[in-house]
Amino acid sequence: MDVKELEEACIKKDPEACITLASMYHEGQDVEKSDTKAADYYRIGCMQENAECCFNVGALYDEGVGLPQSYKNAAEFYEKACALNYGDGCFNLASLYDEGKGVEQSSQIALKYMQKACHLRNGEACFIAGAKYDEGEDVEHSEAKAAEYYEQACDLDQGTGCFNLGMMYYEGGESVKQSFDEAIDYFGRACELENADACNNLGEMFSDGKGVEKSASKAAEFFETACSYDGASGCYNLGVLYSQGDGVEQSYSNAKDFFEKACDLDDDKGCFNLGIIYEMGLTGEKSQEKAAEYYQKACKLGYKDACEESEEESDEEAAEEEKEEESAK
């Protein structure tokens, strides 16, 4: 259908036509871009009880795109979308209640809408509901309910839900009994969903032989995966394996690369070990200046041993400079 036919269909109560038109105007596809017109067509669709249209009107008010920014109006349309069983509408409404934007702040109402969003298969909502019960935030702490919501989140491919449930099984508690097998299963699912911490935990379990046969090579694989997802601990742990030649071919050059990435991701031990490599010249480049730089960063990040090394390096540099000055006289 062309634009005119879509307009006629939208007015004759075809909300899908309204959605198509709104999308065309929002993206400037075959029409002159106009977020105002996009909002108009979403409004028409919402009046026809289309949940997606109501949600999109709320989002436009929320962001101030095509409509004047208004959290109050956003909440009104999110509520309509939620009443029509649109999970994202419930989730966004819960967020507004949690922050007190456009509505009176209420953690209890926020949780109610978050739970409804979860039941409507919004994975992020399931995770947040689980975290609230896990931490006892605004509700009575319940390990059992936290696990229930984390499992729902995980089933909806929300990686942090899988990770948190894995941690509950790893540590064990009153309602969730310790099980390394279950922990490995949930860490594995989280890792597949690109959760770096889960990949790193799997690496550590293979490294320590916890719940699995000890294997440094498999540990290295998981550490590398974690590092590829910008997991600082994974980068650091892989650097350690390369420096020791454990599960991988020994290589200070590779160790340096992974310590450097870990340090860039603000891992204190990564920075410290990078300082050692420069201080000892393990890759051929010996530099007291760079060693001091990385020791100082590690110290600032909270690694106490690095603070002592940083002071020693600074003293050595000062002594070297003083010696050079005397030689020049």
Side-chain angles (χ1 to χ4, degrees):
M1 288 192 287
D2 60 22
V3 174
K4 189 173 182 180
E5 290 172 326
L6 285 168
E7 287 174 346
E8 290 175 359
C10 176
I11 292 169
K12 291 178 180 178
K13 297 188 177 181
D14 179 357
E16 292 301 321
C18 301
I19 291 171
T20 301
L21 272 172
S23 179
M24 289 172 66
Y25 277 107
H26 179 64
E27 296 172 7
Q29 180 186 343
D30 300 327
V31 292
E32 186 178 347
K33 180 177 168 62
S34 172
D35 286 319
T36 302
K37 284 191 175 182
D40 289 340
Y41 287 114
Y42 280 137
R43 276 179 177 278
I44 294 171
C46 182
M47 286 189 288
Q48 297 167 16
E49 302 291 297
N50 182 277
E52 183 180 348
C53 286
C54 295
F55 171 79
N56 284 332
V57 175
L60 293 176
Y61 271 122
D62 202 345
E63 298 163 9
V65 175
L67 292 167
Q69 201 284 329
S70 169
Y71 290 126
K72 182 179 179 181
N73 289 343
E76 178 187 336
F77 282 95
Y78 286 150
E79 189 167 13
K80 286 182 181 179
C82 183
L84 292 167
N85 292 327
Y86 196 77
D88 288 351
C90 303
F91 178 83
N92 283 18
L93 184 58
S95 299
L96 292 181
Y97 271 105
D98 200 38
E99 298 172 22
K101 290 182 175 179
V103 291
E104 185 177 347
Q105 198 282 333
S106 171
S107 299
Q108 294 303 314
I109 294 176
L111 180 60
K112 180 187 78 171
Y113 283 116
M114 202 63 76
Q115 288 170 321
K116 182 173 181 180
C118 175
H119 295 320
L120 291 169
R121 302 184 62 76
N122 182 297
E124 186 69 16
C126 297
F127 166 71
I128 291 174
K132 284 186 177 292
Y133 280 107
D134 197 1
E135 297 163 11
E137 182 185 335
D138 306 319
V139 291
E140 186 178 348
H141 167 75
S142 171
E143 190 180 86
K145 285 188 176 181
E148 178 187 334
Y149 280 111
Y150 285 151
E151 186 163 15
Q152 290 182 64
C154 185
D155 288 342
L156 293 167
D157 292 338
Q158 208 282 344
T160 315
C162 301
F163 172 76
N164 281 18
L165 188 54
M167 286 300 302
M168 293 180 81
Y169 276 111
Y170 184 87
E171 295 171 348
E174 292 182 8
S175 301
V176 179
K177 301 304 179 186
Q178 187 181 58
S179 169
F180 289 143
D181 286 343
E182 292 286 357
I184 288 167
D185 178 52
Y186 285 108
F187 286 151
R189 290 171 67 179
C191 183
E192 288 177 3
L193 293 166
E194 302 188 4
N195 183 292
D197 290 334
C199 302
N200 181 67
N201 281 13
L202 283 170
E204 290 183 348
M205 291 181 81
F206 274 103
S207 182
D208 298 336
K210 265 189 178 175
V212 290
E213 185 178 346
K214 192 170 182 177
S215 171
S217 60
K218 283 200 172 183
E221 289 176 16
F222 283 113
F223 289 148
E224 187 166 12
T225 301
C227 187
S228 72
Y229 298 146
D230 288 340
S233 295
C235 300
Y236 166 75
N237 286 332
L238 188 56
V240 171
L241 293 184
Y242 271 111
S243 66
Q244 297 173 345
D246 191 10
V248 291
E249 186 177 348
Q250 199 280 334
S251 169
Y252 285 125
S253 178
N254 287 342
K256 173 179 170 289
D257 289 341
F258 287 110
F259 287 146
E260 188 166 27
K261 183 170 182 181
C263 184
D264 288 341
L265 293 166
D266 290 340
D267 183 273
D268 55 355
K269 292 181 290 185
C271 298
F272 180 73
N273 281 23
L274 192 55
I276 291 174
I277 286 177
Y278 277 112
E279 182 182 5
M280 300 181 68
L282 295 176
T283 58
E285 181 186 358
K286 192 169 185 178
S287 171
Q288 300 300 323
E289 184 180 349
K290 285 187 176 180
E293 175 189 336
Y294 288 114
Y295 287 147
Q296 285 170 9
K297 182 172 180 180
C299 178
K300 287 178 182 177
L301 290 169
Y303 197 69
K304 291 182 180 179
D305 289 348
C307 301
E308 295 175 9
E309 292 290 339
S310 177
E311 288 176 9
E312 288 177 11
E313 287 297 318
S314 297
D315 290 342
E316 286 179 16
E317 281 185 23
E320 189 66 32
E321 287 176 8
E322 188 177 336
K323 188 186 291 184
E324 288 177 3
E325 287 175 4
E326 288 181 2
S327 299
K329 289 179 181 178

